[in-house]
Amino acid sequence: MSFLYNLGIALYPLMIRAAAPFNMKAAKWVRGRRGWRRIVAQAFNGTEKVAWFHAASLGEFEQGRPVMERFREAYPSCRILLTFFSPSGYEQKKDYDGADIVMYLPPDCPSNARYFVEMTKPSLAVFIKYEFWYNYLYELNRQGVPVVFISALFRADQPFFRWYGSWFRKRLNRIDHFFVQDEDSALMLGSIGIERTTVSGDTRFDRVADILSKKTDNKNIEAYCSGNKVLLAGSTWPPDEDILATVIRKFPDLKLIIAPHEVKEERIKQLIETLGTGAARYTTDEPGVWFDKQVLVIDTIGILSGIYRYADIAYIGGAFSTGLHNIQEPAVNGMPVIFGPRYHKFREAVELVREGGAFSIAGKEELHNVIALLLEDEVKYREACAVSERYMLEQRGATEKIMKGLRPYVS
């Protein structure tokens, strides 16, 4: 199995390089890893303590960010190395000032892992949620570096828990501690003999609470929403947008703000064509133009989390296609959240649906019915708001639990 794993690791960069001339993301993956040995050799001298945090992509980064920032406060003399696997994380956070060094993780072949760990000499390695790179785990273990996973989440369909998973299970034994999101994950690890677990919760709740506490005003969005009922649709994909277009006609007095997951120009044009309303654009139309439009398209990134509070209802995309996106950002504002049918891998979505703060829909008719219920029944609306707000308050605190658990590994 080790041979097959290392063969796969060796072939993957070759396939990425072959795709690079035709795929921008692949090109960034290749370009970002050039000269990584030189970068490592210049950045580390072996005399300073280093804490290595690894995130697969942007979502995992945001999940681990509260811990990184609390770690820096608690251990200011320790340098922080942050690595990413995916360009979508690195390209957006390469200038993140909460880390001393931000770089791509080199491919997980034995020689790369050995060189990387020997040169960086981390005193602690923290992997966020997923990313089980087995050669790195081996080298960290061989060189006596404590390894922990934070906000980890385990499912029955992962290789560790399948009949063929013996090789994968053995690799988990190289990890010193798992800070898991829920009791189910701890029980699953326990079923394969791993008891080094702490149910700490999900650090994303702390992150969105922090964003809410540092909120900045957006006067133009506030003015657009003022005096209107507003549905804010975030991180949408074409299947979401097809049914959202029907909402415009069904509820002509409802304002719709829509922030697609991708903001490339061709996607924005496709979205406006789908909506068919001559929607206003956030970046190119003057605010004075917005107010006569039922729909406002957010054609930029970086503002979505801060504008949910101006809306009455949130719709979160992805659950008709790629997988549900972040519902915590709207929920922390104490508002009802609507999404498609593919949400069962997301604990917060399952629990909010069960408790009545969120609503899953299978198509346009169900979406219309939920919107009508929330607009027309004030009691139901207030109940849903209260559930979301209470749930988000109850979930906070994972960062402090993890920081307490990390103390024995930071010496």
Side-chain angles (χ1 to χ4, degrees), residues 29-137:
W29 194 98
V30 172
R31 186 169 58 249
R33 286 171 169 79
R34 287 176 183 155
W36 70 265
R37 288 178 182 254
R38 174 182 48 80
I39 294 170
V40 168
Q42 292 175 350
F44 299 93
N45 57 29
T47 62
E48 296 173 295
K49 284 188 176 181
V50 174
W52 172 23
F53 287 80
H54 176 70
S57 190
L58 184 62
E60 288 76 18
F61 164 80
E62 291 294 343
Q63 201 155 24
R65 183 171 181 168
V67 176
M68 276 186 280
E69 294 181 351
R70 281 287 291 111
F71 191 95
R72 166 147 282 185
E73 291 174 8
Y75 306 101
S77 63
C78 189
R79 300 180 77 198
I80 292 180
L81 164 65
L82 171 62
T83 59
F84 288 96
F85 177 78
S86 169
S88 61
Y90 174 79
E91 295 298 332
Q92 291 201 43
K93 295 301 176 181
K94 59 187 175 184
D95 298 319
Y96 171 59
D97 59 9
D100 297 282
I101 298 146
V102 183
M103 62 180 292
Y104 279 102
L105 181 71
D108 184 35
C109 66
S111 60
N112 286 352
R114 188 179 310 113
Y115 183 89
F116 186 87
V117 176
E118 286 178 351
M119 293 299 293
T120 59
K121 291 182 170 59
S123 57
L124 172 67
V126 180
F127 288 74
I128 303 164
K129 193 175 181 179
Y130 297 132
E131 294 280 280
F132 299 93
W133 296 114
Y134 298 114
N135 288 313
Y136 280 106
L137 292 175

Side-chain angles (χ1 to χ4, degrees), residues 285-303:
D285 291 323
E286 293 294 327
V289 175
W290 303 357
F291 303 120
D292 294 328
K293 303 290 186 179
Q294 186 183 358
V295 182
L296 174 63
V297 174
I298 306 298
D299 54 354
T300 186
I301 61 173
I303 72 167

Side-chain angles (χ1 to χ4, degrees), residues 69 74 80 83 109 150 181 204 218 243 255 292 310 321 328-329 344 354 368 407:
E69 294 181 351
I80 292 180
T83 59
C109 66
I150 63 173
Q181 292 187 30
R204 288 180 301 166
N218 188 314
I243 65 170
K255 293 277 191 180
D292 294 328
Y310 298 116
S321 51
Q328 294 165 330
E329 290 179 349
H344 294 91
R354 183 175 64 238
H368 296 168
R407 287 173 194 161

Side-chain angles (χ1 to χ4, degrees), residues 6-7 18-20 59 65-66 212 214 226 265 308 315 350 365 391:
N6 287 325
L7 179 62
R65 183 171 181 168
L212 183 65
K214 296 176 181 177
S226 181
E265 184 62 21
Y308 280 114
Y315 176 99
V350 172
E365 295 300 329
Y391 179 81

